[in-house]
Amino acid sequence: MAGIDETYIVHCADTKCNFGMRKSKLVLEASHGVFLKKRAQVTIKDCKPENVICFGGCSSPENPKTVETAKQLAREVAEMTGIDYEDQVEEIFTKKSKDGKKSMACFGECIPEIVSVKWDKEKEDVYVEPGKKALIGRATLTCKYGGIIEIITTGQPE
């Protein structure tokens, strides 16, 4: 059995974002007419916001909704304690991972805003539609807020 790196991706493949709260799904609005195991095959161009479903929440410090969530929490704490932490929100809620990347210790609304024009892994010699190559596993996209979205399962039934 081929590993995910060499396997075609179909409708309902699992995805994850490094700033997401949970995994999600890659979906197609309409089939390209090519099916694998009764599921529509995905192309490298299927990277619009309607293809990438929300990850439940976003911990990116670049997402204004996440920053607003942190500020709202600081305001709630101020109401309960009388101590104003709003000016220290970034300091209190930002954490660094081992690789030095920052994330927030709270989640704001996740609305993936894809800046990539296509997924970054393709089957060089296979086209699902003219000009649209077949997508293969472990492909990634980049979100406007710094998130890296990765395909983690093919979506093909066992």
Side-chain angles (χ1 to χ4, degrees):
M1 188 165 136
I4 188 173
D5 294 335
E6 303 90 35
T7 305
Y8 297 117
I9 303 304
V10 298
H11 173 70
C12 286
D14 288 325
T15 59
K16 71 174 184 175
C17 175
N18 59 318
F19 288 124
M21 183 183 283
R22 60 170 168 75
K23 68 181 183 178
S24 188
K25 297 284 184 189
L26 175 63
V27 298
L28 295 179
E29 287 188 307
S31 166
H32 300 292
V34 177
F35 290 81
L36 294 171
K37 298 181 182 177
K38 299 183 180 182
R39 295 219 178 147
Q41 191 170 353
V42 181
T43 76
I44 60 168
K45 295 285 189 168
D46 293 319
C47 60
K48 298 178 184 87
E50 55 268 19
N51 301 123
V52 180
I53 304 300
C54 156
F55 295 93
C58 177
S59 65
S60 170
E62 296 177 36
N63 183 340
K65 297 201 180 269
T66 305
V67 173
E68 182 52 40
T69 297
K71 287 181 179 181
Q72 179 59 38
L73 290 169
R75 285 190 290 271
E76 290 173 14
V77 167
E79 286 177 20
M80 292 186 319
T81 65
I83 303 168
D84 184 3
Y85 292 103
E86 197 164 346
D87 292 339
Q88 300 166 350
V89 162
E90 187 172 337
E91 179 183 322
I92 294 169
F93 285 98
T94 302
K95 59 183 181 176
K96 279 189 179 179
S97 63
K98 291 178 183 176
D99 60 3
K101 293 186 179 177
K102 290 183 180 181
S103 66
M104 299 289 281
C106 63
F107 290 91
E109 183 179 4
C110 169
I111 302 173
E113 292 196 36
I114 310 305
V115 295
S116 304
V117 295
K118 65 178 186 159
W119 290 93
D120 67 353
K121 298 206 191 281
E122 60 194 35
K123 183 71 172 165
E124 286 292 328
D125 56 350
V126 177
Y127 290 85
V128 176
E129 287 186 333
K132 294 181 180 177
K133 294 181 181 178
L135 181 63
I136 56 176
R138 299 244 188 261
T140 62
L141 293 174
T142 303
C143 176
K144 174 181 178 179
Y145 302 119
I148 303 299
I149 298 163
E150 179 182 12
I151 295 174
I152 56 174
T153 69
T154 65
Q156 295 184 36
E158 295 296 321

